[in-house]
Amino acid sequence: MLASVDSCVLVGLEARRVEVQANDGRGDVAFILVGMATTAVKEARERVRSAIRSSQLQFPGKRLTVNLAPADLRKEGSGLDLPIAVATVLAVMHKAPPPRSAFLGELALDGSICHVNGVLVAASWLRKQGYERLFVPAVDAAEAALVEGLEVIPCTNLASVIAHLTRIQSIEPQPLTHPVLDTGVEAAEHDLNEVHGQEEARRALEVAAAGGHHLLLSGPPGAGKTMLARCLPGILPPLELSEALEVAQVRSLLGDLSATKPLDWSRPFRAPHHGVSMAGLIGGGAGVAQPGEISRAHQGVLFLDELAEFQANVLQALRQPLEIGRVAITRSGGSVTYPARFTLVAATNPCPCGWSGDGRRACRCIPAMVDAYQRRLSGPLLDRIDLKVGVRRVPLEALASEPKGESSAPVRERVLAARRRQLDRQGCLNAQLKPSRLRQMAALDAASRQTLERWAEQRGLTARGFHRAWRVARTSADLDASEHIGERHVLEALGYRLNDVAA
Amino acid sequence: MMSLPDVNALHARGRWPPPEGPRVAIVGSRRPSPYGEAVAEQLATDLARAGVMVVSGLALGIDAAAHRGALNGGGITVAVMGTGVDVVYPASNSRLAEEILAGGGALVSQFPDGTIPRRQNFPARNWTMAAISDVVVVVEAGEGSGALITAEAALHLHKEVMAVPGSVFSPLSVGTHGLLRDGAGLVQNARDILAVVGRGGEVLDDPLVPPERLGFALRPERDGIVAHLSDVLALSAADIARKLQLPVSEVLGRLTALELDGAVRRQEAGYVRALRRGKERA
Ligand SMILES: [Zn+2]
């Protein structure tokens, strides 16, 4: 007889329904799998056959045909193992699966059910499609149970799943994974009190955190640029539930979620090496594109050290996500869109040798090299960075006498207060204000406007640069708990425009 | 030693060879401190007023300041280029090149028209500069600076080498102080140079105007910050904030205001006091 079981395959953060139809028919002994399955799915036949036999269940004696519908959908991954096996066994047993239920899981040869990537993504999508029950690998159950209104059945092996379906022995559904915020002391990995001196860069970090601005740190090797960047997550607010779920979805796709604690409240921090490929940074790969570093950094921090060493085309590709907070990628397996709203922290040496502008060591670069180096840094990417500060090397012997900085906790309090002001006023962070709303939400008095215009004229600022300085001034005022932007806020904002050259 | 081109057969734009008279080359760092730039410009102005032709290399920094100073003094100035005379490098000095020509000076080069900037051509250009000058004055040269090649060439060619002292804290003084230790003439004002070229009797009304007399209309509350700035060594906003016990955000803002007024200048490592008004730059 024919048995039909529902499952799905993932296309980015979306899914497509797959109906697995198994027919225990007559004819020569054979196991035929039809319906545009990729090689990985075809291998399912061996796993399914072995798993069914190892589980002391009956495998069809003659001809088994499994059809994966719809036929025009490319099916990838090993998550279809479980639904194929269940459909096959039910066909032999002349039984039907429970209504509005779906199955997902990979089989081992002995019938045990193993982890598959993207269970959270599948669970959210299936719930939206009206499914009420989802059978998933037990190791992925906590992840699936983040989705409210879905009964999650944790599956350890095929035999117990069949026992549950035939009402011989039922499996306890997974309780809803309550997204409880960690109340314990959440010690950030790096605290600002470890940074000596560098008051300018610390302040820029605070402004970046408060307004969601991108930041460039420029300074010689050993100035502590990496350390500063790593302190940023610790002064950002913890993720909101909706944000944590978005982060978890990307991690789920990559199989990167903790089985016991699928929801993580800390902001992601990603620091890809400058040799990273386009696919690695932006997303890509064969078939359906996988999320890249920029999506892993979603709602968190993307740190690009030695910015000038990155491939130019890779940096170019950052422009769109920096502008709109997401990235669309087209591959043979279809087009997908991944979220990519992150705070960019870039670090660079001022010149190839790194010592230009250092008081203690002389720069040995020839001017043409410095020009070429700075040209690689300038242009469309740098144009999208609001804050640019110099970081100076503190000589080792002077480190002890440099004042120890304020720790991250009070900085984070100020950042939280400034963010609250922004969200109450305009529903988004200052960095995301469009020019029209900027005029509305961040009015400048005559003196402030005049100062900004004077600078723009002196330095030949583009309209984009003008708006960027304006947004930073708004953030400076918010950190000051000031409703109005004053001239001092505009002046501070202009202080972070390191690369504007006097005309 | 380099083989020198025939000075009269140089490629030239403008008046070449120039009228008779003493010629002084002023060379130095491409990225000088405000102090070095101000000294170079003032020396060139004073020399020009005394009828001395100022020679330099049309590079950024000290070179440009020397040409500009000579033009301000109403003098003739000659740029010895490492490129073809039709290729101004860096391009940002194009206007300055035009002004040199308009002032009756010349752009000269031993390289044919169309020669693009090539690293190996610049040392030869530095030799030529020494060859056409009577005196080479070095203002701010770090270790390995091209200006030191010019000074070395001058020694080989039995020309006078002179140097302007700088701050002992500054890496830009390493080259000039080395020259002074080795016997280069000390330059404290244009008179020191004029004495060497035999124009010691020339009267200068204000050799090397001290910076105070250039005077900025500073708002009183901002004076506090400027007093803490050096004209040679860059200080960061953090340094100043610490000295004045003020929040760094406020100091940064006040420095920016001073920068807008041209009273301070921002460099990679921080802020320096400007000795000239920012607006006067070409
Ligand atoms: Zn360098």
Side-chain angles (χ1 to χ4, degrees):
Chain A
M1 102 153 228
L2 181 85
S4 179
V5 159
D6 282 356
S7 185
C8 66
V9 292
L10 299 177
V11 182
L13 291 176
E14 303 265 295
R16 301 277 179 274
R17 176 171 174 261
V18 174
E19 193 183 346
V20 180
Q21 300 156 339
N23 189 11
D24 173 20
R26 295 168 191 283
D28 299 332
V29 176
F31 184 170
I32 300 157
L33 188 61
V34 294
M36 203 161 139
T38 58
T39 323
V41 175
K42 285 190 173 139
E43 286 166 1
R45 285 186 300 182
E46 287 318 308
R47 291 192 297 270
V48 166
R49 195 197 317 262
S50 169
I52 291 177
R53 290 200 170 128
S54 308
S55 307
Q56 314 299 323
L57 293 163
Q58 198 187 340
F59 194 78
K62 298 265 182 193
R63 189 182 183 87
L64 169 65
T65 309
V66 172
N67 179 33
L68 306 176
D72 59 354
L73 175 71
R74 212 176 118 97
K75 287 115 195 149
E76 283 189 272
S78 47
L80 294 175
D81 287 7
L82 179 62
I84 292 172
V86 168
T88 302
V89 174
L90 291 181
V92 173
M93 297 172 88
H94 296 255
K95 296 234 187 265
R100 290 179 293 282
S101 302
F103 295 79
L104 210 56
E106 181 182 320
L107 285 172
L109 296 178
D110 67 354
S112 52
I113 295 166
C114 318
H115 159 84
V116 288
N117 288 351
V119 166
L120 174 60
V121 178
S124 330
W125 185 84
L126 288 165
R127 175 72 195 95
K128 272 188 229 146
Q129 303 302 308
Y131 284 85
E132 291 168 2
R133 195 172 298 101
L134 177 60
F135 292 75
V136 296
V139 287
D140 301 323
E143 173 181 337
L146 283 169
V147 178
E148 261 180 280
L150 190 69
E151 185 180 76
V152 173
I153 309 293
C155 307
T156 46
N157 60 64
L158 182 60
S160 65
V161 174
I162 300 300
H164 177 88
L165 291 174
T166 51
R167 298 172 194 278
I168 292 169
Q169 186 166 19
S170 63
I171 304 172
E172 269 303 299
Q174 177 82 13
L176 185 67
T177 307
H178 285 291
V180 184
L181 186 57
D182 279 337
T183 45
V185 190
E186 192 190 334
E189 219 179 319
H190 296 275
D191 196 289
L192 275 172
N193 64 15
E194 296 164 55
V195 177
H196 291 257
Q198 310 288 15
E199 290 86 347
E200 227 174 312
R202 295 170 60 102
R203 171 69 183 178
L205 217 53
E206 182 174 335
V207 174
H213 305 286
H214 303 305
L215 169 68
L216 176 80
L217 302 168
S218 171
K225 291 170 286 187
T226 303
M227 178 66 197
L228 281 161
R230 288 192 181 275
C231 286
L232 183 52
I235 58 169
L236 288 168
L239 293 168
E240 303 272 331
L241 176 60
S242 61
E243 295 171 337
L245 283 170
E246 288 169 13
V247 170
Q249 292 225 344
V250 173
R251 286 200 189 139
S252 168
L253 270 191
L254 296 160
D256 218 11
L257 281 184
S258 153
T260 50
K261 186 173 171 278
L263 219 49
D264 188 346
W265 301 98
S266 55
R267 301 262 161 190
F269 181 90
R270 303 294 303 181
H273 182 259
H274 57 70
V276 69
S277 66
M278 181 75 89
L281 188 66
I282 305 301
V288 175
Q290 288 283 94
E293 290 289 343
I294 59 169
S295 297
R296 294 182 151 218
H298 179 56
Q299 301 296 3
V301 177
L302 180 72
F303 177 49
L304 301 182
D305 197 6
E306 304 197 46
L307 189 66
E309 304 294 327
F310 282 77
Q311 289 174 53
N313 61 332
V314 172
L315 292 184
Q316 289 286 314
L318 277 175
R319 284 160 49 193
Q320 185 209 24
L322 281 176
E323 209 72 13
I324 61 173
R326 57 182 189 276
V327 62
I329 315 163
T330 303
R331 287 291 176 276
S332 61
S335 272
V336 292
T337 299
Y338 290 119
R341 185 169 302 289
F342 51 84
T343 298
L344 174 67
V345 180
T348 179
N349 294 336
C351 66
C353 85
W355 299 104
S356 172
D358 187 79
R360 296 196 147 211
R361 280 173 69 165
C363 165
R364 302 197 170 277
C365 305
I366 57 168
M369 272 166 70
V370 179
D371 288 352
Y373 191 83
Q374 301 211 329
R375 251 200 315 280
R376 287 170 73 184
L377 288 176
S378 65
L381 180 61
L382 234 58
D383 222 31
R384 287 167 170 78
I385 297 180
D386 294 353
L387 304 166
K388 293 158 195 164
V389 284
V391 182
R392 295 212 305 172
R393 194 174 49 111
V394 180
L396 219 52
E397 65 273 17
L399 256 184
S401 66
E402 289 278 316
K404 217 173 158 184
E406 195 181 14
S407 62
S408 291
V411 179
R412 179 152 106 162
E413 285 309 310
R414 291 197 294 271
V415 167
L416 285 173
R419 284 193 165 219
R420 218 171 294 125
R421 297 183 73 88
Q422 295 167 57
L423 297 178
D424 288 351
R425 182 178 59 231
Q426 64 212 21
C428 69
L429 294 180
N430 291 333
Q432 277 129 40
L433 273 182
K434 300 249 180 315
S436 58
R437 297 205 62 216
L438 191 61
R439 277 188 286 277
Q440 196 184 335
M441 296 296 172
L444 293 169
D445 60 28
S448 307
R449 171 169 291 278
Q450 202 192 359
T451 300
L452 192 51
E453 281 170 352
R454 242 178 102 198
W455 181 280
E457 196 187 325
Q458 266 189 29
R459 311 298 164 114
L461 228 57
T462 60
R464 183 181 278 140
F466 188 88
H467 288 131
R468 291 201 174 270
W470 190 349
R471 288 185 190 102
V472 175
R474 181 62 264 178
T475 303
S476 169
D478 284 325
L479 278 168
D480 223 1
S482 167
E483 208 46 61
H484 303 286
I485 300 177
E487 194 187 2
R488 66 181 188 282
H489 303 125
V490 170
L491 287 170
E492 185 192 354
L494 294 174
Y496 300 120
R497 303 196 55 86
L498 185 61
N499 294 41
D500 288 350
V501 280
Chain B
M1 206 171 129
M2 299 254 172
S3 63
L4 286 171
D6 176 0
V7 168
N8 291 313
L10 289 170
H11 304 273
R13 272 171 76 195
R15 182 172 174 190
W16 189 259
E20 285 300 309
R23 303 169 185 173
V24 172
I26 298 179
V27 294
S29 171
R30 294 186 197 85
R31 282 186 275 178
S33 71
Y35 161 76
E37 212 173 323
V39 171
E41 186 169 335
Q42 189 66 52
L43 286 175
T45 301
D46 292 345
L47 291 172
R49 282 189 191 147
V52 173
M53 188 182 95
V54 173
V55 177
S56 195
L58 198 60
L60 294 177
I62 297 296
D63 284 19
H67 290 303
R68 211 167 41 227
L71 292 169
N72 290 346
I76 289 172
T77 178
V78 170
V80 184
M81 298 165 67
T83 56
V85 291
D86 56 340
V87 181
V88 176
Y89 175 79
S92 53
N93 275 343
S94 302
R95 221 177 84 190
L96 181 58
E98 291 308 317
E99 286 170 17
I100 290 171
L101 294 173
L107 312 179
V108 302
S109 172
Q110 64 221 90
F111 304 104
D113 282 7
T115 304
I116 56 164
R118 299 179 72 183
R119 194 183 181 176
Q120 63 267 32
N121 286 348
F122 286 90
R125 179 278 304 263
N126 293 343
W127 274 75
T128 304
M129 222 179 330
I132 65 171
S133 307
D134 303 308
V135 178
V136 169
V137 177
V138 182
V139 186
E140 288 198 322
E143 221 179 323
S145 161
L148 297 179
I149 298 177
T150 312
E152 198 190 318
L155 288 175
H156 281 284
L157 299 168
H158 307 293
K159 306 289 176 89
E160 197 70 34
V161 175
M162 304 184 81
V164 176
S167 162
V168 294
F169 293 122
S170 167
L172 291 170
S173 302
V174 174
T176 42
H177 290 187
L179 291 172
L180 288 168
R181 189 183 48 218
D182 295 345
L186 174 70
V187 176
Q188 297 190 89
N189 53 47
R191 281 203 190 98
D192 294 335
I193 305 168
L194 291 170
V196 171
V197 296
R199 292 278 174 107
E202 296 292 331
V203 178
L204 295 168
D205 26 335
D206 52 351
L208 271 200
V209 184
E212 288 77 18
R213 287 176 52 191
L214 294 173
F216 290 99
L218 297 176
R219 297 190 216 171
E221 80 272 17
R222 288 174 181 166
D223 274 341
I225 286 188
V226 178
H228 287 271
L229 286 173
S230 149
D231 50 17
V232 177
L233 294 178
L235 288 180
S236 70
D239 294 332
I240 300 157
R242 221 177 294 155
K243 273 192 196 174
L244 299 180
Q245 304 272 308
L246 287 172
V248 72
S249 54
E250 187 187 331
V251 170
L252 195 59
R254 283 165 67 175
L255 284 165
T256 308
L258 289 164
E259 199 185 349
L260 268 168
D261 292 344
V264 309
R265 253 204 274 159
R266 185 172 196 157
Q267 298 184 328
E268 268 144 41
Y271 293 85
V272 285
R273 190 151 49 121
L275 293 184
R276 299 175 302 108
R277 285 177 187 281
K279 268 280 128 184
E280 286 171 11
R281 302 199 59 190

